[in-house]
């Protein structure tokens, strides 16, 4: 079931996580993201980026990375 605005992810239908959006896998490479995060190497994994920024969602990692270089 395709839902708009979820970046290719879907909502979990089963309790206890019903309605939550699945996060991208932590082994996803930066260069394979729809919009790579320029502050990190193309070969950096999303898990590494999450550790360095302390954020979980891809968009939160993107915002935190933008603030790291300022």
């Amino acid at each position: 079931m395709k839902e708009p605005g979820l970046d290719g992810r879907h909502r979990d239908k089963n309790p206890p996580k019903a309605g939550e959006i699945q996060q991208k896998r932590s082994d996803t490479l930066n260069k394979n993201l729809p919009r790579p995060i320029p502050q990190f190497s193309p070969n950096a994994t999303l898990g590494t980026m999450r550790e360095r920024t302390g954020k979980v969602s891809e968009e939160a990692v993107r915002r935190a990375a933008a603030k790291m270089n300022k």
Side-chain angles (χ1 to χ4, degrees):
M1 170 184 289
K2 181 76 174 157
E3 296 182 37
L6 296 179
D7 192 28
R9 296 168 282 168
H10 67 276
R11 293 186 185 275
D12 194 347
K13 305 292 184 207
N14 301 319
K17 295 184 177 184
E20 288 185 17
I21 299 171
Q22 286 186 333
Q23 297 296 321
K24 289 202 176 285
R25 292 172 42 138
S26 63
D27 62 349
T28 302
L29 295 177
N30 188 21
K31 64 184 175 185
N32 294 334
L33 293 175
R35 294 181 309 145
I37 301 171
Q39 290 82 1
F40 290 100
S41 160
N43 292 322
T45 63
L46 190 53
T48 302
M49 293 185 277
R50 285 175 175 158
E51 287 176 13
R52 291 196 182 148
T53 60
K55 305 295 180 184
V56 177
S57 74
E58 180 186 343
E59 198 56 39
V61 169
R62 187 177 306 282
R63 285 190 302 265
K67 291 178 182 177
M68 285 173 39
N69 289 340
K70 289 184 179 180

